[in-house]
Amino acid sequence: MCLTVGPYFAWKNLNMEIYTGDSVKFKWTTPDFVNNVTHKVYEVESLDTTDPKAGGIDSGPKSRNGMLGFS
């Protein structure tokens, strides 16, 4: 399954089933005309918080462009 979202997109309540052996990749880019904006991807415990989940997935430091992938 491939899920692609467009520029300026944020999602909430999007459920995706990931199974053993699946590959997952998050990729983000920031347009040149957008200044002082960086991004990152991390796992949260629930939709009620923006705090990172201890031991959860994390793309590392915020960046203008980046990727997080795992299998």
Side-chain angles (χ1 to χ4, degrees):
M1 174 174 89
C2 180
L3 173 67
T4 303
V5 295
Y8 320 114
F9 188 85
W11 64 90
K12 182 177 178 181
N13 297 330
L14 174 65
N15 295 310
M16 181 187 318
E17 292 185 28
I18 301 170
Y19 299 98
T20 302
D22 287 350
S23 294
V24 177
K25 180 168 76 171
F26 297 90
K27 182 179 178 183
W28 58 97
T29 56
T30 304
D32 290 337
F33 66 86
V34 176
N35 297 310
N36 302 318
V37 174
T38 55
H39 313 278
K40 72 179 285 159
V41 174
Y42 60 88
E43 185 176 358
V44 296
E45 197 68 53
S46 71
L47 293 175
D48 298 329
T49 182
T50 57
D51 296 329
K53 179 180 177 180
I57 63 167
D58 191 312
S59 63
K62 291 181 178 182
S63 60
R64 289 183 53 80
N65 305 302
M67 186 195 71
L68 168 67
F70 53 91
S71 301

